[in-house]
Amino acid sequence: MHYFQYSRGELHAEGIPLSRLVKSVGTPAYIYSYQTLVRHFQIFDGAFSALPHLTCYSVKANSNLALLRIFSRLGGGFDIVSQGELARALQAGADPRRIVFSGVGKTETELAAAVRAGVLLINVESVPELLLLSRVAKKCRRRVRISFRLNPDISAESHPYLTTGTPENKFGIDIKQALPVYLRAARLPFLEPAGIDCHIGSQITSLKPFVAVLGKLKGLISRLGRLGINISYLDLGGGLGITYRDEVPPHPDEYARVIGKELKGFPGSPLGITLILEPGRVIVGNAGILVARVLYSKKVGRKEFVITDAGMNDLIRPALYDSFHEIIPVRPRKGPRKKVDVVGPICESGDFFARDRKLPPLRSGDLLAVMGAGAYGFSMSSNYNSRPRAAEVLVRGSRFAVIRRRENQQDLTRGEIIPASLLK
Ligand code: LLP
């Protein structure tokens, strides 16, 4: 459910007609609904209220500071994968003791920054990373709580690029190696193996893989307990899918109920286990849209193209994953629907938002809304073709605020240097 609805023939973001909004902020623009963001966070977090848990919003899905501030105020923690995301979360007011740090390629500098910030857990993904972290912790004179991210060999049954928990993927430590790796970590004086972590993929629409993961992790936690290693944090990662088209993902309540059932009577450590969840898409996906303006329409051969002022640099998901995003006119015109390709201005044939999509008549100047663009939309956008990145806007009721201004020409060449000495 989201708060982008038609009223009097025009699509609104909460209480604001989109044509009015873009008159002020221009296009292309990412528009987020405050009420939807809050609602999604609360539904997800609330679903787990019966269990000791921490909802660590996955910053990569959408890392705008304003959104991070919202989730932090709602009591959320954060799942980060870089020093940049750490800095953002802290700047937005996050409590470092509610931050977990994942990622296969953390550098020494990044590990040191996380140790100094005092994050809750560092999710270690390889033995060399473990040894580096041990040195970093010693240098910083800090005892560091760690989890191992395990690769459980369970398919997320999602797009191949969005599957992370099989031996084909670079992520985590082979679950078969888990016991020796934990024992090794337990001998390192500055590290405290306190958690276990799995993230098997994204846009998962069935509960089966989650239950399978939980089954494997429970067995391991018990075995570790017998070896004297107490696991107090069980991190199930993110991955819960959303509806882009006709997917029917489980509701967070159902997801929480099934996980709760699996964990019933499972104390794990003497103090019991805190569950960590790292949702990204399910919180922000449907809380954001990309609004673009139609520049031209033209026919090439049998195909009709609608060319917009947004391109794959603004939203790369269709090009990268062939993913579906609903596209709707902000003010639908009457008339027969026609099959068109909605494309951007970028010099790549992969620059499309939809192919052979039936849409009502469109004219130059019309506004289109690309729905479900809140997750992995702006955060994956780029300056390809030297295009400034879009503005981001937060709407709350009948008020709005620009939460990232549109980039300008100076932004585009910032940091570039013509080296006079080499180019004499
Ligand atoms: N935790 C970890 C360690 C992750 O790698 C991810 C996402 C998440 C949590 C959040 O997953 P979510 O709840 O959003 O599914 N760019 C792709 C999605 C890549 C997901 C990467 N990892 C897309 O546009 O679909």
Side-chain angles (χ1 to χ4, degrees):
M1 208 215 110
H2 57 70
Y3 294 89
F4 298 101
Q5 306 293 344
Y6 284 104
S7 165
R8 280 165 272 113
E10 172 159 359
L11 189 63
H12 285 53
E14 301 199 5
I16 306 185
L18 285 170
S19 61
R20 204 179 89 208
L21 195 57
V22 303
K23 213 174 251 167
S24 156
V25 302
T27 52
Y30 275 96
I31 318 281
Y32 308 114
S33 151
Y34 175 84
Q35 285 194 65
T36 312
L37 292 164
V38 170
R39 183 188 150 87
H40 286 178
F41 184 90
Q42 287 179 333
I43 285 180
F44 189 94
D45 192 50
F48 289 92
S49 57
L51 298 169
H53 77 283
L54 181 59
T55 301
C56 290
Y57 166 70
S58 189
V59 172
K60 66 178 82 64
N62 189 317
S63 49
N64 187 286
L65 289 173
L67 270 61
L68 303 187
R69 171 65 58 89
I70 293 172
F71 302 135
S72 163
R73 280 214 186 144
L74 292 171
F78 296 97
D79 154 51
I80 58 160
V81 290
S82 68
Q83 193 173 355
E85 288 190 351
L86 172 65
R88 276 177 180 280
L90 296 177
Q91 196 180 336
D95 176 351
R97 287 163 307 176
R98 289 172 168 262
I99 292 178
V100 295
F101 188 12
S102 316
V104 280
K106 308 179 196 81
T107 65
E108 181 167 354
T109 316
E110 290 184 307
L111 289 171
V115 167
R116 279 196 209 99
V119 301
L120 176 65
L121 283 162
I122 296 183
N123 294 337
V124 174
E125 300 212 20
S126 65
V127 172
E129 183 191 342
L130 175 74
L131 301 179
L132 175 60
L133 179 58
S134 166
R135 290 198 296 277
V136 169
K138 187 172 172 195
K139 231 196 252 171
C140 298
R141 296 174 189 286
R142 296 273 188 99
R143 203 167 147 74
V144 177
R145 236 177 279 105
I146 63 163
S147 268
F148 282 107
R149 174 167 176 186
L150 302 175
N151 185 319
D153 191 7
I154 289 170
S155 166
E157 295 163 23
S158 181
H159 186 282
Y161 291 3
L162 304 183
T163 289
T164 52
T166 76
E168 311 282 292
N169 312 122
K170 65 182 174 183
F171 298 98
I173 289 174
D174 188 340
I175 196 158
K176 292 189 213 84
Q177 304 290 318
L179 289 181
V181 173
Y182 271 95
L183 287 170
R184 187 161 182 186
R187 288 196 299 270
L188 296 169
F190 287 88
L191 300 186
E192 180 191 342
I196 197 163
D197 168 43
C198 254
H199 169 82
I200 54 166
S202 198
Q203 184 55 11
I204 302 171
T205 52
S206 143
L207 291 175
K208 257 196 328 208
F210 291 110
V211 172
V213 167
L214 212 46
K216 286 200 177 188
L217 293 189
K218 277 197 307 186
L220 246 178
I221 293 171
S222 303
R223 262 174 280 153
L224 286 168
R226 287 196 289 276
L227 295 169
I229 298 176
N230 279 324
I231 296 298
S232 351
Y233 297 95
L234 194 174
D235 185 340
L236 263 189
L240 194 60
I242 63 171
T243 303
Y244 286 105
R245 186 186 210 158
D246 48 14
E247 305 91 332
V248 197
H251 188 278
D253 285 343
E254 182 60 9
Y255 175 62
R257 193 186 61 76
V258 167
I259 291 172
K261 200 173 122 208
E262 290 295 315
L263 289 179
K264 210 167 186 172
F266 182 75
S269 74
L271 294 174
I273 283 216
T274 298
L275 187 63
I276 296 178
L277 302 140
E278 303 174 353
R281 190 189 314 268
V282 70
I283 309 284
V284 293
N286 288 328
I289 62 174
L290 173 63
V291 178
R293 200 177 281 284
V294 173
L295 297 174
Y296 311 107
S297 295
K298 70 173 180 182
K299 225 174 151 167
V300 179
R302 58 160 200 98
K303 277 231 171 216
E304 182 102 19
F305 290 95
V306 172
I307 302 156
T308 73
D309 64 357
M312 67 190 280
N313 72 299
D314 297 300
L315 177 67
I316 202 173
R317 302 193 69 256
L320 198 55
Y321 317 112
D322 208 13
S323 53
F324 180 95
H325 285 266
E326 192 187 351
I327 298 181
I328 53 180
V330 167
R331 277 188 184 152
R333 294 178 187 278
K334 295 215 165 56
R337 290 153 69 87
K338 235 185 348 191
K339 263 193 192 166
V340 297
D341 280 20
V342 182
V343 302
I346 298 227
C347 305
E348 299 245 7
S349 294
D351 179 25
F352 61 85
F353 293 128
R355 286 188 289 192
D356 291 323
R357 187 75 60 86
K358 266 197 158 163
L359 289 181
L362 289 168
R363 291 197 205 139
S364 297
D366 285 1
L367 293 170
L368 286 175
V370 183
M371 307 303 285
Y376 308 106
F378 188 90
S379 64
M380 293 182 82
S381 68
S382 77
N383 293 123
Y384 187 40
N385 278 205
S386 282
R387 289 166 49 80
R389 276 179 296 173
E392 291 182 284
V393 180
L394 181 66
V395 174
R396 183 174 184 180
S398 54
R399 294 175 297 154
F400 73 90
V402 173
I403 56 172
R404 193 181 207 275
R405 65 163 173 77
R406 182 178 307 287
E407 286 180 338
N408 58 30
Q409 190 56 38
Q410 272 168 2
D411 293 324
L412 286 178
T413 48
R414 190 179 40 191
E416 291 181 34
I417 293 162
I418 299 174
S421 59
L422 296 186
L423 304 177
K424 255 189 252 169

